[in-house]
Structure formats: structure tokens, C-alpha cells
Amino acid sequence: MAVVLIIGASRGIGLETVMTALEAGHSVRALARSARRIPVDHPKLEKMAGDALEMARVKRALTGVDVVIQSLGVSAGPEIILKPTRFFSKATRVLVTAMEEAQVKRLICVTGFGAGDLKPFLTPLPSHAARRLHLGRIAN
């Protein structure tokens, strides 16, 4: 069985991935800013508090890992619409650099942002225009 690092493990897809990996028999290191709130206790689960943008913390989390699953998300809200974010690209840059140094070669990236969060926003505008308005600043 593999040792899996899941970044963004406290909610959503990340939390579901933690539970699925544990059920499959893998050892899981769950990195999240709010790791203490992960509602799962398991002998093969290590909760690690940290920010995906902190190189030192990401490097530490990679020790002894076979595969990384990055499942970061951002909370939908007015700040996402009004201000551009580079969170996903910055965190991925930190992670890939750390993975190269640690010689970890397997990476899976997934996010659910926008998959259902924006439904209330889509009714007044055609969906393409609404997606561009609400997701355009994320995609930059």
C-alpha cells in the first residue's frame, strides 16, 4: 500500500479522498490549514497543519510519500469575483518544486471549485457569460 499525501484534506473532495484512501488500506498524511478539524480518526491517518503555500511545511509533508493528491479549493464569495487569485498556480508551483527535490514523481490535482457552488449565480445570465464572470479571475 502507498503513503499518500493529500493537500487540502479538511473539506470537500480532499476529505472524501482521505476517507477513500484509508478505506483502500493506504497510509494518509492529510495537510490542511485546519487539519485538527478533520472529522476522521484512523491509525493510518496523520493530520498535519500547514499552508500549501509554505515551502518548508510542504517539504516536511513530502517525507516518505509515494503519491500526492492536491485537492485545494477556495471559498466562493464576493472576494473571488472582485479580486483575482493566483492561489492554485502558486500552490502548485510550491508543490512541484518540493516534489522535485524530494523525488516524489506521482501527482494528482483536482478541485471541485465551481462545480456546484455557482448554481445560484447562473440564473440571471447565460451560463457561459456567468462562468466567465465568476470563474475568469480564478482561471488567470
Side-chain angles (χ1 to χ4, degrees):
M1 292 288 117
V3 177
V4 181
L5 169 61
I6 301 173
I7 301 175
S10 63
R11 298 185 301 159
I13 291 172
L15 181 56
E16 291 297 323
T17 304
V18 167
M19 294 185 295
T20 301
L22 290 170
E23 287 172 13
H26 300 292
S27 294
V28 174
R29 182 170 299 139
L31 177 68
R33 287 178 298 169
S34 56
R36 70 185 182 285
R37 291 189 290 195
I38 296 172
V40 177
D41 288 311
H42 192 281
K44 288 188 171 188
L45 174 62
E46 176 188 355
K47 300 175 188 179
M48 180 180 274
D51 192 304
L53 298 175
E54 296 174 1
M55 178 66 79
R57 183 56 100 184
V58 172
K59 284 181 178 181
R60 185 168 166 233
L62 283 167
T63 303
V65 165
D66 299 305
V67 63
V68 179
I69 301 173
Q70 184 187 50
S71 58
L72 298 171
V74 293
S75 298
E79 66 282 351
I80 294 301
I81 296 168
L82 301 174
K83 296 186 328 186
T85 182
R86 302 270 190 264
F87 175 66
F88 296 106
S89 56
K90 285 180 180 179
T92 303
R93 195 170 299 116
V94 167
L95 176 59
V96 169
T97 299
M99 286 179 68
E100 287 172 344
E101 290 179 23
Q103 298 183 346
V104 176
K105 306 226 182 272
R106 292 180 178 91
L107 171 62
I108 300 167
C109 295
V110 61
T111 184
F113 180 77
D117 308 340
L118 300 177
K119 190 172 183 177
F121 298 108
L122 296 179
T123 52
L125 300 170
S127 62
H128 176 72
R131 275 192 297 276
R132 184 79 181 133
L133 174 67
H134 295 288
L135 295 176
R137 295 186 182 269
I138 296 294
N140 287 335

